Amino acid sequence: QNSQANAAPSKPKVGGVANLWMKKTNSSSGITKKPTNPLSQHSTSAVAAHSLAFPSLCEEPTTSSTSGGFPPQKVAAIAGEVLSSFLKKHSNPNVRLYLVESGGSGVTAFAKIKNKIGDNRFHVINGKITEMKTAGMPCCYLCNSTNWRFKKPGPVHTTAGKTLEEDTKQQYNTGEVGKAYPVALSPASPLASEGVRHVIHVVTPNLNPNKADCITDESKAETLVRSCYESLLSSFAVLCGLESPSSAVTPPPQKQSQAPTTTTSSSSSSANTTNSATSPGMIKLARYFPPAGPPAAVGGNWKNALLEIVKHRQKHPKLVYYEDSKCAVVYDAYPKATVHLLILPLDLKLLHIGMLNRSHVDLVKHMDTVGNQIVRHLRETQFKALTFKVGYHSIPSMNLLHCHVISQDFHKAEALKKKKHWNSFTTDFFLPSSSVIQMLEQGGTVEIDKAKAKQLEEQDLQCHLCGSSMKNLPKLKQHYTTCLFQRQASM
């Protein structure tokens, strides 16, 4: 790999992959045609999982004769300060930040500040931001410079296709200038084949004097440009696990007899703190930011992984979405939908649903309250168009009682690969939390017909919305995409 990285390339193609991986030189342009590969020092997968590619976030004037405006050199200088501060704060050697443009003065301007940043984890690239993996340098995170309606044409927006636009609409109405809006990329998007996991929309200011409503106040322009880069890097840091979400969101209060205790995520690397007091009102919840990829092994047999996570949750703060005095909510390591969380009791003796009795009614009600408040919070803040389920599997595959909070866009999940995965969430194999509470209150136990449950898990594939039978899972997912859209459109 090193020999390939140091070899002289063929005649460079402007904007093509042969012109990628450029370093600052003493030449007047600040860009050399000799490529170097920073991935040679670290594993590609580890680097890709901590890699962000972004364009210059301010549009250049359309003609070279334009006077006035906000020069690319000033944009690069402001960005350089933000980038330098971010890299000093995060010493992880796998982090890569790539400024990617297909020519233009933005590339030159950023190349000139590269030495000032003085960190070889930042690179200036003349190439296509949508072809990083094709060029041998996969990036899990791409930035899309956009407008307040999330409809600004650009390479990421165009290549990602209709799925990105639809997923963005599900989460956000409009955007605010200077803010970042991350969206998990659907496996159906063409960009998914490039290894992209998330697209981070950044609503950029209009600094082009050729366009209407250009921001002419220089001080305001500088503030907005800085905010764009700070919001982008902050969002990236949370997504790839460098930071925890720093701001908790409190939904409007509603009437209820008792609410779970409150815990919010911290911006530090330490585990969430627990407040054992109870108080009326809604619980405080952060944004949904699942870790990038499955976690490292937590020790012991995989069937006991949930036990290990809860027992040693201080060691796994990035996996914990919420915690109180009775339960912890963690991100599912292999999500079967866009949103997939597990509510786990802190009582490690409760291994499965069959161990529940009447004495556990309060606990199960508490977990149900947490689950439904999470659903309300996510629908109000991030996923307005998604529908959710809260409940249990009849025959769980892992030890420790766990209640699923899952959105019903199953067709978008890469980890939903088997027939039993589909059937476990779309048939009566899945027990709604309300039904479990009712069984405990009325009979004092949860009776499971294991033979019937097994039959449900192994039955032939069919769409649970319309009943159509399908031969395989890819065809069912394709059908479900249309069926679910039609169902939502008619509501």
Side-chain angles (χ1 to χ4, degrees):
Q1 189 175 6
N2 288 335
S3 62
Q4 293 176 351
N6 294 324
S10 57
K11 186 177 179 180
K13 302 174 183 178
V14 176
V17 294
N19 208 23
L20 292 173
W21 297 119
M22 301 190 181
K23 294 181 65 179
K24 175 78 171 65
T25 66
N26 293 326
S27 65
S28 59
S29 67
I31 306 174
T32 178
K33 297 296 188 291
K34 183 177 180 180
T36 61
N37 191 347
L39 298 184
S40 63
Q41 299 179 9
H42 307 283
S43 69
T44 302
S45 60
V47 171
H50 294 82
S51 296
L52 168 68
F54 58 95
S56 176
L57 293 179
C58 295
E59 185 178 358
E60 297 178 44
T62 54
T63 64
S64 58
S65 61
T66 301
S67 60
F70 203 77
Q73 294 80 6
K74 185 166 289 188
V75 173
I78 294 172
E81 294 175 3
V82 178
L83 293 167
S84 179
S85 177
F86 179 87
L87 290 168
K88 289 177 181 178
K89 180 180 179 181
H90 300 289
S91 59
N92 188 318
N94 292 321
V95 169
R96 294 291 185 276
L97 302 177
Y98 308 125
L99 181 283
V100 188
E101 289 281 1
S102 295
S105 57
V107 174
T108 304
F110 272 89
K112 290 180 178 179
I113 68 162
K114 189 178 187 306
N115 275 352
K116 292 182 179 180
I117 292 177
D119 194 309
N120 62 11
R121 294 174 296 167
F122 170 60
H123 299 267
V124 179
I125 299 175
N126 183 8
K128 296 181 179 179
I129 193 171
T130 57
E131 296 182 2
M132 299 296 284
K133 183 178 179 182
T134 299
M137 311 150 226
C139 267
C140 287
Y141 307 98
L142 296 187
C143 171
N144 178 47
S145 175
T146 189
N147 58 24
W148 64 277
R149 294 186 300 168
F150 303 107
K151 289 186 177 181
K152 180 181 177 181
V156 175
H157 179 275
T158 302
T159 306
K162 202 70 176 175
T163 57
L164 176 62
E165 187 174 333
E166 292 171 353
D167 291 344
T168 302
K169 285 181 180 178
Q170 287 184 347
Q171 297 186 44
Y172 311 108
N173 288 319
T174 57
E176 179 183 345
V177 175
K179 302 297 183 182
Y181 300 86
V183 177
L185 192 70
S186 167
S189 171
L191 271 181
S193 63
E194 284 290 316
V196 180
R197 292 176 182 166
H198 284 80
V199 169
I200 305 175
H201 296 295
V202 176
V203 182
T204 56
N206 174 18
L207 305 179
N208 187 343
N210 288 335
K211 294 187 176 182
D213 301 322
C214 172
I215 296 174
T216 56
D217 186 305
E218 186 170 332
S219 177
K220 182 178 180 180
E222 290 181 1
T223 299
L224 289 173
V225 169
R226 186 176 299 276
S227 179
C228 283
Y229 285 100
E230 288 177 342
S231 296
L232 169 63
L233 293 177
S234 177
S235 180
F236 163 65
V238 172
L239 288 171
C240 71
L242 294 173
E243 297 178 4
S244 297
S246 58
S247 59
V249 180
T250 307
Q254 68 174 19
K255 293 181 180 180
Q256 63 178 54
S257 58
Q258 185 178 7
T261 55
T262 300
T263 302
T264 58
S265 299
S266 169
S267 60
S268 67
S269 60
S270 61
N272 294 341
T273 57
T274 301
N275 180 358
S276 60
T278 58
S279 59
M282 294 290 288
I283 60 177
K284 293 182 180 179
L285 297 165
R287 291 181 64 81
Y288 181 84
F289 278 121
V298 295
N301 188 296
W302 70 270
K303 286 181 68 69
N304 296 325
L306 297 180
L307 283 165
E308 291 297 318
I309 290 173
V310 173
K311 186 177 180 180
H312 304 291
R313 56 193 179 280
Q314 292 79 10
K315 297 180 181 179
H316 309 286
K318 296 170 186 175
L319 303 182
V320 180
Y321 174 74
Y322 168 83
E323 180 184 349
D324 61 34
S325 60
K326 293 183 179 180
C327 68
V329 182
V330 303
Y331 293 101
D332 193 293
Y334 299 93
K336 303 303 186 291
T338 297
V339 175
H340 195 178
L341 295 164
L342 303 176
I343 308 174
L344 311 169
L346 301 188
D347 183 354
L348 302 184
K349 298 188 293 296
L350 292 175
L351 297 183
H352 54 78
I353 197 171
M355 299 181 70
L356 294 173
N357 56 50
R358 191 171 275 108
S359 69
H360 300 117
V361 168
D362 287 346
L363 171 63
V364 177
K365 282 186 174 181
H366 178 87
M367 293 169 65
D368 179 74
T369 299
V370 170
N372 282 289
Q373 290 196 23
I374 289 173
V375 168
R376 174 176 173 175
H377 166 70
L378 294 179
R379 282 179 60 84
E380 289 179 346
T381 59
Q382 290 180 261
F383 306 102
K384 62 176 182 177
L386 292 184
T387 56
F388 291 78
K389 287 187 171 186
V390 179
Y392 304 80
H393 283 154
S394 297
I395 306 175
S397 59
M398 302 182 73
N399 289 326
L400 190 58
L401 179 73
H402 52 282
C403 179
H404 298 264
V405 178
I406 187 168
S407 56
Q408 297 192 62
D409 53 343
F410 307 116
H411 58 296
K412 294 183 178 180
E414 290 185 39
L416 200 153
K417 300 177 180 179
K418 300 179 180 180
K419 178 172 66 174
K420 69 177 184 179
H421 292 156
W422 182 272
N423 288 336
S424 69
F425 290 104
T426 62
T427 70
D428 288 340
F429 184 90
F430 187 87
L431 301 174
S433 177
S434 57
S435 297
V436 172
I437 293 172
Q438 185 177 21
M439 283 188 276
L440 288 175
E441 288 182 328
Q442 293 180 356
T445 185
V446 181
E447 295 290 344
I448 302 295
D449 185 336
K450 292 188 177 181
K452 182 180 179 181
K454 269 292 183 185
Q455 186 179 13
L456 289 169
E457 189 180 30
E458 296 171 1
Q459 72 177 26
D460 291 340
L461 289 169
Q462 67 177 28
C463 174
H464 59 288
L465 296 182
C466 69
S468 299
S469 298
M470 296 290 159
K471 292 182 179 180
N472 55 54
L473 198 51
K475 288 187 176 180
L476 178 53
K477 283 187 173 183
Q478 185 177 13
H479 162 84
Y480 187 68
T481 302
T482 303
C483 196
L484 181 63
F485 176 78
Q486 291 175 342
R487 174 69 63 91
Q488 292 174 337
S490 64
M491 294 175 64

